[in-house]
């Protein structure tokens, strides 16, 4: 785990401020400028009051690599209230450790849904990640969709700091909630054997109940599926859904098991297209969204 | 107060004074089909309901009956809280989970935040609660300070009532006043005179749980008069119809105060149906069941009618991707006439 040095934070503030300047009205930026940035109570109440002064304009295209030191952190499609709040939190980062932690803890304790979204969105920028880790894993347990999304979707914090167990829970819950797993930052890099086993169990449970799973979920399983599970792949080939058949073909194309290669010969419909790179897991996510 | 839990007199239940009223419960007044026909086309706004103690079935029935938005005032959860954390969790649930749950069923949820009168009697805890209130009252969708006022009419209740009136003034938020069950007339007058003494504009103050004895004075002094249709202990809806006939619709609003007691989250639509039967005009009904509440609480700057007047803007199941209340892909409305539970 990488520990981030406090002195880096002012630069985060200025990067976010630039985006704010590009999207706010003069009146809005004046309000943001008027907040005393070294006063903890003022920062907290401003964090709460933000929607009274800032519109919920959606931020359009920004750099995907907004903060080079934190790959995966991006503010595209956030609204201005969320960005303003995250920006305010970068000033809390400059406080002495105890005061910083206490201020952020108080905001967490008293937060409503949109404030929680901002707090979880800010985690990659905050110092002392080990302090926020339990909150982040708790957020995965949240039943509030927006809160779950704030930690699970396009947020680099779990990729960087979650244990394997917590990471796997995040991915499984994303599947369970029928949300797009391809938007989890670092999904491919953190594929692992235990996650594959749990996913296979989950698929069997869904199928037993007469329900299905999105085809791109099979990318978590692909490298780890054993020969004894070949009946699952054959069932995928027999699915009426094209995306399931493509997923089965992708699994076979990635597998070294002879039995899987034999299966691929039996169902060769997408073999050529895969060889020509018409299909891979990311394209499956995009085409069958 | 929490140190003396055995003193039950400090915690009278909502069933107290049962014998004072011979009201028939509202839910037996109309046949269901008849009721539905009468409220067809109406939209309702319940400005006082404690959804935290209601079920998801209630949300479904409320949405079906035309309730498009509610205000949930912070109040007493049935037993005294023993620490600040439980207050924080409660307030957070009002602006967080409960609002989310409500949205899943197409109902816009607002709240008022305050330290309730019963718990104002625990001074140590009350002081702590007052410190965190500013972090809640400025939140999105918080449309006022409430419900505050008197219960036993103690000195401590007055102290925290006054402090919260000042907070409301500073934040330019409406106030929702709970008037006491016992000695109501005196408690109501005292609540109003203190509010005026603190310089509050009466059009920013909703005096709740009125009855035939209090309504005239409340309206005469320029306050909003809210009526709680609550079986046994508060106002019955037949009596309510008579009040509307006598006083008209100006500054009068109806609510259910439905909570953990025997109460009815459909109190407003049922009262509206009764008013239709009695020939009260649709304009008057709309005012007392929808418009007046919006007019009063929109002074907070937090209510935007366009958010709910035609239902919440998106299909809840799409919006939240089937998360949570709708677990694992449940649909917003299950078929209650089927034996099969898929």
């Amino acid at each position: 785990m990488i520990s981030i040095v406090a002195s880096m934070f002012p630069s985060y503030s200025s990067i976010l401020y630039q985006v704010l300047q590009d999207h706010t009205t003069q009146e809005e930026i004046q309000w943001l400028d008027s907040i005393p940035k070294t006063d903890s109570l003022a920062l907290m109440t401003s964090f709460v009051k933000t929607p009274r002064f800032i519109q919920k304009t959606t931020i359009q295209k920004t750099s995907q690599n907004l903060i080079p030191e934190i790959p995966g952190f991006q503010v595209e499609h956030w609204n201005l209230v969320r960005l303003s709040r995250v920006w305010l939190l970068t000033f809390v980062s400059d406080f002495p450790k105890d005061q910083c932690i206490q201020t952020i803890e108080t905001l967490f304790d008293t937060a409503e849904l949109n404030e929680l979204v901002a707090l979880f969105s800010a985690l990659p920028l905050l110092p002392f990640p080990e302090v926020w880790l339990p909150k982040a894993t708790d957020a995965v347990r949240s039943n509030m969709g927006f809160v779950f999304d704030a930690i699970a979707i396009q947020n680099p914090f779990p990729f960087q700091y979650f244990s394997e167990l917590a990471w796997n829970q995040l991915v499984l819950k994303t599947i369970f909630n029928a949300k797009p797993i391809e938007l989890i930052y670092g999904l491919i890099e953190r594929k692992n054997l235990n996650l594959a086993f749990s996913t296979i169990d989950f698929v069997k449970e869904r199928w037993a109940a007469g329900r299905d799973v999105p085809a791109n979920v099979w990318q978590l399983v692909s490298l780890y599926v054993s020969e004894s599970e070949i009946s699952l792949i054959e069932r995928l080939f027999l699915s009426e859904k094209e995306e399931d058949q493509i997923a089965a073909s992708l699994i076979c194309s990635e597998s070294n098991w002879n039995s899987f290669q034999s299966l691929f010969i039996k169902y060769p419909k997408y073999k050529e297209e895969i060889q020509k790179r018409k299909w891979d897991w990311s394209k499956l996510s995009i085409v069958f969204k | 107060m929490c140190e003396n839990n055995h003193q039950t007199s400090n915690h009278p239940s909502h069933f107290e004074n049962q014998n004072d009223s011979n009201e028939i419960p509202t839910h037996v007044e109309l046949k269901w089909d008849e009721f539905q026909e009468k409220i067809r086309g109406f939209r309702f706004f319940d400005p006082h309901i404690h959804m935290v103690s209601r079920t998801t079935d209630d949300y479904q029935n409320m949405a079906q009956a035309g309730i498009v938005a509610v205000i949930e005032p912070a109040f007493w959860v049935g037993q005294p809280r023993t620490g600040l954390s439980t207050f924080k969790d409660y307030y957070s649930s009002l602006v967080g989970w409960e609002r989310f749950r409500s949205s899943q069923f197409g109902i816009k949820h607002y709240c008022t935040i305050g330290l309730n009168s019963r718990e104002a009697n625990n001074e140590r805890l009350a002081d702590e609660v007052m410190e965190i209130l500013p972090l809640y009252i400025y939140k999105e969708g918080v449309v006022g300070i409430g419900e505050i006022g008197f219960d036993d009419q103690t000195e401590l209740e007055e102290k925290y009532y006054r402090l919260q009136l000042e907070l409301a003034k500073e934040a330019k938020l409406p106030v929702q006043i709970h008037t006491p069950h016992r000695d109501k007339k005196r408690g109501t007058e005292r609540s109003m005179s203190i509010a005026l003494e603190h310089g509050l504009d009466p059009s920013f103050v909703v005096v709740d749980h009125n009855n035939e004895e209090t309504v005239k004075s409340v309206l005469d002094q320029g306050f909003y008069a809210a009526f709680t249709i609550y079986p046994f202990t508060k106002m019955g809806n037949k009596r309510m119809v008579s009040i509307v006939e006598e006083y008209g619709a100006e500054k009068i609003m109806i609510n259910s105060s439905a909570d953990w007691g025997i109460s009815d989250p459909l109190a407003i639509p049922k009262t509206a149906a009764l008013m239709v039967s009695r020939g009260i005009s649709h304009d008057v009904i709309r005012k007392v069941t929808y418009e007046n509440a919006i007019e009063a609480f929109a002074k907070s700057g937090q209510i935007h009618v366009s958010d709910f007047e035609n239902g919440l803007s998106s299909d809840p199941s799409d919006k939240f991707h089937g998360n949570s209340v709708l677990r694992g892909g449940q649909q917003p409305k299950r078929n209650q006439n089927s034996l099969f539970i898929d």
Side-chain angles (χ1 to χ4, degrees):
Chain A
M1 307 222 171
I2 304 160
S3 150
I4 298 170
V5 206
S7 62
M8 290 164 71
F9 291 104
S11 69
Y12 298 168
S13 295
S14 50
I15 291 169
L16 298 186
Y17 187 74
Q18 188 59 51
V19 184
L20 283 168
Q21 266 189 323
D22 292 346
H23 290 81
T24 44
T25 63
Q26 201 177 353
E27 208 176 316
E28 287 175 321
I29 203 82
Q30 274 170 1
W31 179 73
L32 291 168
D33 287 342
S34 73
I35 299 163
K37 310 296 188 303
T38 52
D39 176 344
S40 161
L41 188 63
L43 278 173
M44 282 197 289
T45 46
S46 302
F47 179 88
V48 174
K49 282 182 193 173
T50 302
R52 302 197 172 201
F53 299 92
I54 305 288
Q55 297 178 73
K56 288 184 176 157
T57 317
T58 302
I59 295 157
Q60 300 305 333
K61 202 114 187 102
T62 56
S63 163
Q64 286 293 308
N65 199 19
L66 192 65
I67 301 179
E69 300 93 321
I70 309 176
F73 179 84
Q74 56 145 311
V75 302
E76 205 171 300
H77 305 311
W78 288 16
N79 67 39
L80 273 181
V81 170
R82 182 173 172 184
L83 179 62
S84 303
R85 282 175 163 157
V86 171
W87 175 70
L88 288 173
L89 293 176
T90 62
F91 296 98
V92 179
S93 301
D94 284 343
F95 291 170
K97 183 174 181 180
D98 285 355
Q99 196 189 358
C100 168
I101 292 174
Q102 198 195 349
T103 305
I104 303 281
E105 293 270 11
T106 304
L107 286 175
F108 264 114
D109 278 358
T110 56
E112 52 84 84
L113 192 141
N114 293 316
E115 293 167 21
L116 283 173
V117 167
L119 284 160
F120 287 116
S121 305
L123 290 190
L125 308 186
L126 295 180
F128 326 118
E130 67 285 354
V131 176
W132 320 121
L133 190 56
K135 289 190 188 303
T137 49
D138 259 0
V140 173
R141 295 187 193 105
S142 171
N143 282 330
M144 293 188 274
F146 290 128
V147 173
F148 177 85
D149 289 357
I151 194 68
I153 304 293
Q154 292 174 328
N155 187 331
F157 188 88
F159 170 72
Q160 196 168 4
Y161 298 107
F162 273 26
S163 67
E164 182 182 289
L165 184 67
W167 173 263
N168 290 354
Q169 278 302 322
L170 181 151
V171 178
L172 287 168
K173 192 158 175 186
T174 307
I175 302 169
F176 183 79
N177 287 333
K179 287 167 189 270
I181 53 167
E182 66 274 13
L183 296 182
I184 299 173
Y185 180 79
L187 180 73
I188 308 301
E189 290 89 330
R190 289 203 64 176
K191 282 207 291 194
N192 62 76
L193 185 64
N194 286 323
L195 179 59
F197 286 163
S198 303
T199 306
I200 289 172
D201 278 351
F202 179 72
V203 170
K204 287 178 178 173
E205 197 183 302
R206 298 284 293 183
W207 282 0
R211 299 168 179 140
D212 54 13
V213 288
N216 71 348
V217 160
W218 290 94
Q219 66 184 298
L220 303 172
V221 167
S222 184
L223 292 175
Y224 305 99
V225 67
S226 69
E227 282 192 288
S228 61
E229 302 286 14
I230 193 158
S231 60
L232 292 179
I233 312 305
E234 180 141 32
R235 183 167 166 176
L236 262 190
F237 271 121
L238 295 171
S239 164
E240 287 174 359
K241 291 182 179 168
E242 187 186 14
E243 61 266 39
D244 285 345
Q245 296 167 24
I246 297 168
S249 306
L250 284 167
I251 291 168
C252 289
S253 74
E254 289 173 357
S255 173
N256 293 323
W257 299 110
N258 288 335
S259 54
F260 280 47
Q261 293 311 318
S262 310
L263 197 62
F264 211 4
I265 292 166
K266 197 171 158 190
Y267 300 101
K269 190 174 170 188
Y270 295 98
K271 192 170 185 176
E272 205 182 311
E273 289 182 356
I274 288 171
Q275 280 164 352
K276 287 183 179 163
R277 306 208 177 274
K278 184 182 171 194
W279 293 111
D280 59 27
W281 293 111
S282 64
K283 285 170 187 154
L284 196 64
S285 300
I286 295 165
V287 174
F288 296 100
K289 212 170 183 176
Chain B
M1 156 169 166
C2 63
E3 287 87 354
N4 295 300
N5 276 339
H6 58 284
Q7 291 176 1
T8 51
S9 62
N10 278 347
H11 312 296
S13 80
H14 270 52
F15 308 108
E16 64 189 337
N17 301 336
Q18 253 193 55
N19 299 331
D20 286 0
S21 164
N22 292 321
E23 270 306 311
I24 299 163
T26 52
H27 51 273
V28 298
E29 294 294 335
L30 277 175
K31 284 181 186 155
W32 191 252
D33 291 349
E34 215 182 340
F35 159 63
Q36 284 191 314
E37 189 49 42
K38 284 188 191 302
I39 59 167
R40 194 180 301 280
F42 277 104
R43 278 191 292 263
F44 301 112
F45 187 113
D46 191 339
H48 187 148
I49 186 164
H50 300 283
M51 291 312 297
V52 71
S53 46
R54 308 300 308 191
T55 66
T56 288
D57 273 4
D58 290 331
Y59 273 127
Q60 292 189 331
N61 293 332
M62 288 159 66
Q64 206 176 21
I67 295 175
V68 293
V70 298
I71 296 173
E72 177 153 9
F75 191 51
W76 195 56
V77 288
Q79 62 181 37
R81 281 164 280 222
T82 57
L84 184 63
S85 291
T86 54
F87 269 98
K88 282 198 276 191
D89 292 340
Y90 173 64
Y91 294 147
S92 293
S93 75
L94 296 184
V95 293
W97 170 250
E98 203 50 60
R99 183 174 296 169
F100 168 76
R101 189 166 74 114
S102 176
S103 74
Q104 297 279 66
F105 301 95
I107 295 175
K108 182 78 183 168
H109 183 285
Y110 303 98
C111 66
T112 57
I113 294 282
L115 169 69
N116 75 78
S117 50
R118 288 174 191 233
E119 290 168 294
N121 290 302
N122 182 341
E123 192 170 14
R124 175 188 55 78
L125 190 50
D127 281 339
E128 289 175 10
V129 172
M130 289 305 300
E131 274 186 38
I132 61 159
L133 279 186
L135 283 179
Y136 287 98
I137 62 167
Y138 291 112
K139 288 195 194 301
E140 278 188 280
V142 176
V143 297
I145 306 281
E147 48 184 317
I148 59 171
F150 288 111
D151 183 50
D152 275 354
Q153 304 191 44
T154 64
E155 278 179 30
L156 281 173
E157 287 173 18
E158 182 170 329
K159 172 185 168 185
Y160 293 103
Y161 174 55
R162 286 178 182 274
L163 284 172
Q164 292 184 91
L165 290 177
E166 285 300 315
L167 203 55
K169 245 173 70 179
E170 192 186 320
K172 298 186 179 63
L173 282 171
V175 176
Q176 195 168 22
I177 293 178
H178 163 92
T179 54
H181 301 262
R182 299 165 304 281
D183 202 3
K184 181 180 282 285
K185 208 169 171 178
R186 199 170 68 90
T188 305
E189 290 302 330
R190 194 172 160 195
S191 302
M192 291 190 291
S193 64
I194 292 174
L196 294 173
E197 189 188 317
H198 278 260
L200 270 90
D201 175 346
S203 74
F204 267 69
V205 181
V206 177
V207 179
D208 212 342
H209 314 315
N210 279 285
N211 60 24
E212 292 84 349
E213 294 293 302
T214 58
V215 52
K216 187 170 188 310
S217 172
V218 171
L219 292 174
D220 284 351
Q221 294 186 63
F223 293 86
Y224 280 95
F227 292 83
T228 297
I229 312 299
Y230 195 112
F232 306 121
T233 60
K234 298 189 179 88
M235 176 62 64
N237 59 2
K238 283 193 297 185
R239 285 162 56 205
M240 187 67 229
V241 175
S242 307
I243 285 174
V244 172
E245 283 170 342
E246 185 174 350
Y247 291 93
E250 284 311 307
K251 289 205 158 177
I252 283 181
M253 68 181 83
I254 302 172
N255 62 58
S256 72
S257 290
D259 55 12
W260 38 258
I262 298 172
S263 47
D264 192 339
L266 299 185
I268 294 178
K270 286 177 180 177
T271 307
L274 208 54
M275 288 195 273
V276 172
S277 302
R278 289 269 282 260
I280 292 180
S281 82
H282 282 216
D283 280 352
V284 166
I285 298 172
R286 229 184 324 273
K287 267 181 167 301
V288 299
T289 60
Y290 186 72
E291 288 168 4
N292 287 351
I294 295 169
E295 177 189 272
F297 288 100
K299 294 190 174 83
S300 63
Q302 294 294 297
I303 294 182
H304 305 288
V305 180
S306 58
D307 287 347
F308 55 79
E309 65 182 351
N310 294 314
L312 290 188
S313 55
S314 59
D315 178 344
S317 56
D318 285 346
K319 188 172 176 184
F320 296 99
H321 301 283
N323 202 1
S324 168
V325 175
L326 308 179
R327 289 168 195 270
Q330 280 182 344
Q331 295 305 304
K333 183 74 188 165
R334 70 187 163 88
N335 183 358
Q336 290 179 314
N337 297 321
S338 171
L339 266 181
F340 295 116
I341 300 168
D342 294 323

